Amino acid sequence: MRMQKISKKLGANIKKIRTAKNMSQGDICRKLTMDRSYMSAIENGKKNITLAVLQKLAGALRVSASDLLK
């Protein structure tokens, strides 16, 4: 699978889980002290993230990192 396709799928999963938990991008960003434009780029598949950021996002969403990658 190409990296861009993986990034898009990851972003879509993050957004789906975040919205299912009634959380805004701002909610996540405040928890992680992350810039909202960066979060938007992640959700839109425009940024590749590190495993550390993946783990932080999973923690903020209260899911496992593997749930975000499904």
Side-chain angles (χ1 to χ4, degrees), residues 26-40:
D27 294 334
I28 297 292
C29 293
R30 280 186 290 280
K31 279 188 172 197
L32 302 177
T33 58
M34 178 187 290
D35 188 70
R36 205 185 69 68
S37 64
Y38 181 60
M39 185 68 210
S40 178

Side-chain angles (χ1 to χ4, degrees), residues 41-69:
I42 292 169
E43 286 190 357
N44 288 308
K46 295 179 180 172
K47 288 280 184 191
N48 293 324
I49 62 172
T50 64
L51 291 174
V53 172
L54 178 70
Q55 194 64 44
K56 287 179 184 180
L57 284 168
L61 291 167
R62 294 190 200 108
V63 296
S64 70
S66 65
D67 287 335
L68 297 179
L69 295 167

